[in-house]
Amino acid sequence: ALLLHVAADHARARGAVGVAAELEERAAQLTPITQLDVRQQRALRAARHLLDAGDPERSRALCQSVLDTNPPPALRADVLHVLAGASVIEQPTDAIPLLSEALACAGDDVVRAAALEMALAVVLASLLDLPTSLRHTTRAAELAEQSGDTALLGEAIATRELLRVMTR
């Protein structure tokens, strides 16, 4: 399982996202059930790779399999975030409750919460709910500033300012 996990990292680094997804998924399957946390993390990574490879259906199925194991709140938030990404492709409104639940699971993790606020803002903007999207980007900027994550802060501020211009 560990060798497959490492191979998945190498495949991803080379841009072979589909191969990385297959390797990581197999690594998750071969990880002993006694290492449930490692198994869940590998399945989540595989789901992310699948989404990036353009296979939202398999990504959703893998996310659901992780949710079925009753993961801890932080991992649940991450899985819901990926699940929302897979859902937004076909039906953007389906992503909103997933991201809202993920945000509730984020707890005190300001980086995770800021990323989720940004994801919500993007989905809402795509649905032309600009005032609500603006509120989420404003909150994302506040959280990103608290975290010290300058890349996330820059994204939140830029998006917030664009939304301010669009809502005038």
Side-chain angles (χ1 to χ4, degrees):
L2 180 58
L3 290 174
L4 288 169
H5 171 71
V6 171
D9 281 345
H10 287 288
R12 177 67 193 216
R14 287 190 347 262
V17 186
V19 173
E22 290 179 30
L23 292 169
E24 197 71 64
E25 186 172 6
R26 187 68 180 133
Q29 293 165 350
L30 292 174
T31 302
I33 195 69
T34 56
Q35 297 177 337
L36 182 60
D37 57 333
V38 174
R39 188 179 192 145
Q40 292 168 326
Q41 286 293 336
R42 288 178 177 161
L44 173 60
R45 286 170 46 99
R48 282 188 179 121
H49 295 327
L50 285 165
L51 188 56
D52 291 344
D55 194 344
E57 187 175 316
R58 278 187 56 211
S59 178
R60 271 195 301 275
L62 206 47
C63 286
Q64 191 56 56
S65 73
V66 175
L67 290 176
D68 291 344
T69 66
N70 197 25
L75 180 59
R76 182 174 183 81
D78 292 343
V79 172
L80 290 168
H81 192 172
V82 174
L83 188 57
S87 298
V88 78
I89 294 167
E90 293 174 4
Q91 186 60 29
T93 55
D94 290 351
I96 296 169
L98 294 169
L99 291 168
S100 297
E101 182 181 347
L103 195 53
C105 293
D108 295 336
D109 187 333
V110 291
V111 173
R112 182 175 277 116
L116 290 165
E117 290 283 5
M118 279 303 302
L120 264 168
V122 169
V123 170
L124 290 164
S126 75
L127 296 170
L128 301 178
D129 185 351
L130 301 182
T132 307
S133 179
L134 178 58
R135 286 195 299 277
H136 284 286
T137 56
T138 299
R139 181 68 181 139
E142 293 167 358
L143 292 167
E145 188 169 18
Q146 288 175 26
S147 75
D149 186 326
T150 56
L152 190 54
L153 178 60
E155 179 185 359
I157 289 172
T159 305
R160 180 188 67 200
E161 295 310 310
L162 177 64
L163 286 166
R164 282 184 177 162
V165 168
M166 293 171 70
T167 56
R168 287 187 184 158

